[in-house]
Amino acid sequence: MECKQRLKWLTLAMICPIIAGAPSSMSKRDGSCPKENLNITGGTFVLSNGYSHGSLLRYICSNGYYPSVQSRHCQNEHWTSKTKIIKTPECKKITCPNPRVFKNGEVIPYKEKYYVNDTTTYSCHTDYTFRGSAVRVCKPNGKWSGSTPICGRDSDHCPDPGVPPGSSRTGDMFNIDDKVTYNCERPLTLIGSKVRVCQDGGQWSGTEPQCYANFTYDTPEEASEAFSSSLKTNLAVEKEEQKGRKITLDEGGKLDIYIAVDASDSIDEKDFDNAKITIKMLLDKISYYPVSPNYEILMFATDVTPIIKMNNFKMQKPSLLDIFKEMDDFTYEKKGDKTGTNIAQVYSTIEESMSIEELNNATAFSETQHIIILFSDGHANMGGKPKPKVDSIKRLVIKNDPKREKKLDLYVFGVGEDVNQEDVNGLVSQRDQEKYFFKLQDLTKVQQMFDDMIGTQRACGSCFHI
Ligand SMILES: *[C@@H]1O[C@H](CO)[C@@H](O)[C@H](O)[C@H]1NC(C)=O
Ligand SMILES: *[C@@H]1O[C@H](CO)[C@@H](O)[C@H](O)[C@H]1NC(C)=O
Ligand SMILES: *[C@@H]1O[C@H](CO)[C@@H](O)[C@H](O)[C@H]1NC(C)=O
Ligand SMILES: *[C@@H]1O[C@H](CO)[C@@H](O)[C@H](O)[C@H]1NC(C)=O
């Protein structure tokens, strides 16, 4: 800094590097970072590209622990990090959310904190009926195994919705239109529905809330099970029953899927290729369902780059192989400015495409099932808040008609440590007891998740295998 000011004087500029000292002037030239003070107590770290400019340092803790600082980034001689580093990073014990919130029954053992592998058992007071898992184990991803244990009287119109671990519930009446509201203990984030309403059909609206810590992840198994279930509900759109056979969407039918993948600066060329592989795997998985969707595929960073737009897809009707080729031709260099993560712009782009579709044929548009699947590190850092854009997509498709709510599915796969869980939870659908937000550690885990997804059993002539 000092040196820069003196640069005004030409003569001084010439001797300045000598004053500043050779080592620092050398590191200035290539932007490399110091090797000192990087250790983590109880763990190790790996570097993506040594101590050079742009290298990513990732802290690793053993099973059952998480790093207090996840990663650092070497930028212009400094190790930056997302969270402010006050003291030496350390590996901390993973805890599962507080199970003592369980109502009308008993939790054993009853203690302050629950760590990985701790087992808890649940039982009801007399006059209450038990639902859910009677035994739960704290898993290494910071979640309890099984499902929320609930002791209910089941005398009301809707069953007792329970109190998921780590949360508190207000509302103890479960008849039609009764509302329950959830909050998560600090510093946990609520994923799913904060408010649920008892509906005519005897079911609660939305999705059961879950309390996530920053270190909580969905395992690929959990995610594939939930995503398969959700897709099945939304892709096997039955049009009519005929002689007991399910008739599904017509060929070239009314299912429009928008896929957007983050290709921003935080990921390097290898990750970029990984992102493309991830899209291919998703397209491949969807090809197992008895539908033939139309696609829009976008990659985004500061700007949004379309691989294929919805109207072009409908005109050209490319095969999966054509799309894969298009993606292969889209190289790392082509993705333009890579610094930002403009999630708002992605949703705007999708909204524009939807508007074009509606202009082309409003009848067809209203009959179409619209699915948006966004992959991101979840940290929208430019273009403003994405939520208003998502809200206007909702208005466009749902048109304030509750019956049309099913016509839109908003999924987000949050990948990596930087996901802003709270923000992302506001971008996804919340209904039908399904999960729409998935949080995975990295793209490899996303791919593992798609691998785990079981294809349907149908004879599969047009399916493509990678
Ligand atoms: C950091 O860790 C390395 C390898 O474990 C060790 O050799 C070094 O002495 C440590 N440095 C500090 C400052 O603790
Ligand atoms: C939890 O139990 C499994 C299986 O017994 C073991 O492999 C793992 O190391 C345990 N984890 C912790 C954090 O104790
Ligand atoms: C619009 O879509 C409807 C329903 O899919 C179809 O019957 C109709 O022929 C379409 N109209 C035009 C002008 O393409
Ligand atoms: C969790 O992550 C969010 C967003 O990355 C951050 O703002 C927050 O401070 C983190 N919370 C804790 C307890 O570390």
Side-chain angles (χ1 to χ4, degrees):
M1 274 296 137
E2 232 180 2
C3 210
K4 258 187 193 154
Q5 284 163 11
R6 291 188 217 161
L7 276 173
K8 290 174 194 159
W9 291 278
L10 192 65
T11 44
L12 269 179
M14 287 165 70
I15 55 164
C16 203
I18 299 163
I19 297 168
S24 98
S25 75
M26 266 171 69
S27 65
K28 261 198 183 90
R29 223 171 288 144
D30 64 4
S32 67
C33 286
K35 299 181 180 170
E36 296 83 38
N37 293 325
L38 291 174
N39 282 5
I40 178 166
T41 311
T44 55
F45 60 82
V46 291
L47 297 158
S48 73
N49 189 20
Y51 298 90
S52 330
H53 175 73
S55 182
L56 189 73
L57 179 151
R58 196 174 289 282
Y59 286 116
I60 298 169
C61 296
S62 53
N63 208 355
Y65 293 80
Y66 72 96
S68 59
V69 176
Q70 293 256 8
S71 64
R72 291 175 164 190
H73 199 187
C74 175
Q75 283 184 313
N76 305 317
E77 297 171 76
H78 292 290
W79 287 108
T80 61
S81 71
K82 300 279 154 51
T83 40
K84 202 168 176 195
I85 299 176
I86 305 154
K87 49 180 190 167
T88 310
E90 56 177 329
C91 287
K92 293 180 155 177
K93 270 184 134 172
I94 286 174
T95 54
C96 276
N98 175 10
R100 289 174 280 117
V101 298
F102 183 57
K103 278 189 179 177
N104 309 321
E106 203 183 1
V107 189
I108 297 171
Y110 197 87
K111 50 181 202 161
E112 185 67 26
K113 285 201 162 140
Y114 297 83
Y115 300 109
V116 174
N117 284 352
D118 279 358
T119 301
T120 44
T121 56
Y122 305 83
S123 56
C124 294
H125 296 151
T126 41
D127 293 347
Y128 288 91
T129 345
F130 188 86
R131 274 186 296 130
S133 302
V135 178
R136 304 187 89 181
V137 181
C138 177
K139 301 197 293 178
N141 62 342
K143 290 165 83 172
W144 291 101
S145 65
S147 59
T148 306
I150 300 166
C151 295
R153 282 195 198 275
D154 295 338
S155 50
D156 291 356
H157 186 72
C158 281
D160 189 320
V163 186
S167 76
S168 60
R169 187 189 74 204
T170 56
D172 288 310
M173 309 282 279
F174 313 140
N175 287 311
I176 294 179
D177 290 339
D178 280 341
K179 229 197 261 178
V180 290
T181 305
Y182 293 91
N183 282 294
C184 286
E185 291 172 1
R186 292 220 284 175
L188 307 180
T189 312
L190 189 145
I191 305 297
S193 302
K194 187 176 172 60
V195 178
R196 303 186 81 182
V197 180
C198 174
Q199 296 171 312
D200 291 358
Q203 288 210 316
W204 290 98
S205 67
T207 316
E208 184 181 273
Q210 292 183 297
C211 297
Y212 277 36
N214 276 5
F215 53 78
T216 309
Y217 286 101
D218 299 321
T219 63
E221 297 76 29
E222 287 168 348
S224 80
E225 202 184 311
F227 187 55
S228 300
S229 148
S230 188
L231 268 190
K232 211 179 291 162
T233 315
N234 300 313
L235 285 188
V237 191
E238 292 165 52
K239 274 192 79 183
E240 51 187 302
E241 294 276 334
Q242 203 178 51
K243 290 175 196 156
R245 258 186 75 223
K246 237 193 256 175
I247 305 296
T248 46
L249 292 176
D250 311 325
E251 273 302 304
K254 300 186 178 60
L255 175 62
D256 290 356
I257 302 183
Y258 298 81
I259 299 172
V261 179
D262 192 340
S264 61
D265 195 32
S266 50
I267 64 176
D268 58 19
E269 183 155 8
K270 198 171 119 247
D271 281 337
F272 179 75
D273 289 336
N274 245 334
K276 293 203 293 187
I277 293 171
T278 308
I279 306 180
K280 289 183 184 177
M281 291 180 79
L282 174 61
L283 295 182
D284 178 56
K285 281 299 163 189
I286 294 173
S287 77
Y288 281 83
Y289 290 85
V291 290
S292 39
N294 304 301
Y295 286 108
E296 171 154 312
I297 298 171
L298 308 167
M299 299 204 74
F300 68 97
T302 301
D303 303 308
V304 176
T305 316
I307 289 179
I308 185 144
K309 297 282 283 182
M310 190 54 78
N311 59 343
N312 289 335
F313 186 99
K314 289 183 180 176
M315 279 188 302
Q316 294 161 7
K317 302 204 186 306
S319 67
L320 268 192
L321 281 172
D322 294 335
I323 302 174
F324 287 1
K325 175 151 192 324
E326 199 75 35
M327 284 170 57
D328 290 337
D329 291 345
F330 184 65
T331 57
Y332 190 61
E333 290 71 35
K334 283 191 193 161
K335 81 184 167 91
D337 185 353
K338 303 160 188 116
T339 49
T341 302
N342 198 340
I343 296 180
Q345 181 71 38
V346 174
Y347 285 111
S348 291
T349 305
I350 292 172
E351 191 196 353
E352 277 164 31
S353 292
M354 286 182 163
S355 303
I356 292 172
E357 291 310 307
E358 189 178 32
L359 271 179
N360 280 346
N361 188 335
T363 315
F365 183 80
S366 77
E367 289 167 356
T368 300
Q369 179 77 17
H370 307 267
I371 299 182
I372 300 177
I373 306 173
L374 179 96
F375 295 86
S376 174
D377 65 8
H379 184 72
N381 59 11
M382 63 177 300
K385 291 224 169 271
K387 180 91 169 51
K389 312 286 180 195
V390 171
D391 289 342
S392 72
I393 289 178
K394 285 183 182 166
R395 281 193 297 274
L396 182 65
V397 175
I398 298 169
K399 307 206 182 302
N400 269 323
D401 176 358
K403 281 200 226 67
R404 291 193 49 79
E405 224 167 80
K406 280 192 187 311
K407 289 284 179 196
L408 179 66
D409 294 297
L410 298 160
Y411 293 97
V412 174
F413 287 85
V415 184
E417 77 222 37
D418 206 17
V419 177
N420 191 326
Q421 317 184 118
E422 199 168 357
D423 285 356
V424 170
N425 193 49
L427 305 180
V428 302
S429 304
Q430 282 167 13
R431 57 178 173 76
D432 299 335
Q433 278 76 46
E434 301 291 354
K435 195 169 159 68
Y436 286 88
F437 168 49
F438 300 91
K439 187 185 170 197
L440 290 125
Q441 260 164 319
D442 51 44
L443 278 176
T444 322
K445 292 282 194 290
V446 180
Q447 290 168 14
Q448 219 173 312
M449 171 209 145
F450 287 137
D451 264 343
D452 287 346
M453 281 174 65
I454 303 148
T456 54
Q457 302 292 309
R458 79 193 168 99
C460 193
S462 61
C463 302
F464 181 85
H465 299 273
I466 300 162

